[in-house]
Amino acid sequence: MAQQSRISTDRFGNAYQLVGCKDKKGNGFSQGYIELGGKLYKIEPSVATKEGVEFWVKVTAVKKQTRASSM
């Protein structure tokens, strides 16, 4: 499910992590997963209708699923 990513440091010394996202629903907005502090989160942007807001970003804690081995 989640791809293992590493934490990097920018030129100002701030930690960051890149998140690869895909538009799996075909609605023009991509979604992705990030792991922070050993916890997995799903990131989903969506269109906003509120004045002054372009879009919302929903961050949901996701329970990790164990992978079954194929032996």
Side-chain angles (χ1 to χ4, degrees), residues 46-69:
S46 62
V47 178
T49 56
K50 183 176 181 177
E51 187 177 331
V53 178
E54 292 185 42
F55 61 92
W56 297 107
V57 177
K58 179 180 173 184
V59 179
T60 307
V62 178
K63 293 183 178 162
K64 288 186 186 179
Q65 297 179 0
T66 56
R67 293 183 181 176
S69 64

Side-chain angles (χ1 to χ4, degrees), residues 10-38:
D10 68 11
R11 64 185 179 131
F12 301 107
N14 300 312
Y16 72 92
Q17 185 175 12
L18 294 178
V19 179
C21 299
K22 280 188 174 181
D23 182 8
K24 291 186 173 185
K25 295 180 181 178
N27 61 4
F29 283 97
S30 299
Q31 64 184 25
Y33 293 87
I34 188 168
E35 186 172 346
L36 298 170

